[in-house]
């Protein structure tokens, strides 16, 4: 991959960016008063800029190498490529990072997981109806289901609902997820526990 770098911003180089796209540019990036145009090969450009080789680091591979399992109480949340890292005494949940929120790395998600475990210790969740509001990946509903609850989730983002359903399937859990908001779930009420992230 080659980069053609120009001084300026995307706004100040509006006309030049059209020439870059017309020449086969694969993408533009603005960084610290420069614009980088990415190309598969060198092309002739009627613009004032500098060509150089792009870093060939596999960023996805590098990111995967730095990702760590998240352990909260008796639960360990891991991506699918790290299932072997779940200790035998832990309850493992597989959540692949992606477009939906809730891989267990954020403090609010961890607080929710801990709160569900505390509820399980003091009031038992077995057979209780739990709704994960703003479910994202569905992680809190999946934790509740693992603790014996009748769990479901709702999210207004149409992209996340299929992801949450897939996560339930991957983890072998019968958890329903709905697109909508809390008021859309009134026919399912009452819930014993509402969890939000």
């Amino acid at each position: 991959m080659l980069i053609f770098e120009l001084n300026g911003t995307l706004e100040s180089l509006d006309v030049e960016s059209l020439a870059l796209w017309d020449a086969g540019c694969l993408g533009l990036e603005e960084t610290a008063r420069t614009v980088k145009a990415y190309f598969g090969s060198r092309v002739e450009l009627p613009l004032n800029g500098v060509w150089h080789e792009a870093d060939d680091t596999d960023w996805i591979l590098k990111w995967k190498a730095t990702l760590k399992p998240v352990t909260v109480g008796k639960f360990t949340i891991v991506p699918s490529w790290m299932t072997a890292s779940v200790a035998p005494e832990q309850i493992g949940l597989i959540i692949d990072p992606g477009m939906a929120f809730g891989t267990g790395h954020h403090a609010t998600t961890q607080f929710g997981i801990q709160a569900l475990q505390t509820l399980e210790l003091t009031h038992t969740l077995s057979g209780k109806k739990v709704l994960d509001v703003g479910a994202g990946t569905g992680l809190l509903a999946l934790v509740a289901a693992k603790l014996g609850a009748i769990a479901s989730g709702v999210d207004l983002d149409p992209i996340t609902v299929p992801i949450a359903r897939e996560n339930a399937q991957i983890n072998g859990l019968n958890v329903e997820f709905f697109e909508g908001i809390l008021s859309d779930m009134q026919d399912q009420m009452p819930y014993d526990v509402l969890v939000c992230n």
Side-chain angles (χ1 to χ4, degrees), residues 118-132:
T118 301
L119 274 173
E120 170 59 22
L121 290 173
T122 59
H123 293 90
T124 192
L125 288 178
S126 184
K128 302 276 196 235
K129 287 182 75 174
V130 175
L131 178 64
D132 183 354

Side-chain angles (χ1 to χ4, degrees), residues 44-136:
E44 288 299 319
L45 292 169
L47 303 171
N48 230 359
V50 178
W51 284 100
H52 54 89
E53 292 275 334
D55 180 1
D56 64 353
T57 300
D58 185 336
W59 292 106
I60 293 175
L61 190 61
K62 189 170 184 167
W63 171 74
K64 281 183 172 184
T66 63
L67 196 64
K68 303 284 185 240
V70 175
T71 298
V72 181
K74 59 184 174 182
F75 285 91
T76 299
I77 300 96
V78 295
S80 57
W81 61 88
M82 296 182 78
T83 56
S85 65
V86 178
E89 68 277 6
Q90 290 293 112
I91 299 170
L93 284 172
I94 299 168
I95 302 287
D96 281 332
M99 294 182 61
F101 178 80
T103 58
H105 290 84
H106 197 274
T108 59
T109 308
Q110 293 174 19
F111 290 142
I113 295 167
Q114 190 59 53
L116 286 167
Q117 291 176 87
T118 301
L119 274 173
E120 170 59 22
L121 290 173
T122 59
H123 293 90
T124 192
L125 288 178
S126 184
K128 302 276 196 235
K129 287 182 75 174
V130 175
L131 178 64
D132 183 354
V133 181

Side-chain angles (χ1 to χ4, degrees), residues 30-45:
E30 181 180 333
T31 59
R33 306 284 304 160
T34 64
V35 171
K36 296 178 180 179
Y38 293 85
F39 288 88
S41 60
R42 192 177 187 130
V43 296
E44 288 299 319
L45 292 169

Side-chain angles (χ1 to χ4, degrees), residues 103-176:
T103 58
H105 290 84
H106 197 274
T108 59
T109 308
Q110 293 174 19
F111 290 142
I113 295 167
Q114 190 59 53
L116 286 167
Q117 291 176 87
T118 301
L119 274 173
E120 170 59 22
L121 290 173
T122 59
H123 293 90
T124 192
L125 288 178
S126 184
K128 302 276 196 235
K129 287 182 75 174
V130 175
L131 178 64
D132 183 354
V133 181
T137 61
L139 180 55
L140 296 179
L142 301 180
V143 167
K146 282 281 191 180
L147 293 171
I150 302 163
S152 56
V154 62
D155 200 303
L156 57 84
D157 185 347
I159 293 173
T160 65
V161 174
I163 293 168
R165 289 176 181 154
E166 183 178 341
N167 287 335
Q169 183 179 14
I170 288 168
N171 286 283
L173 295 168
N174 184 19
V175 179
E176 289 188 88

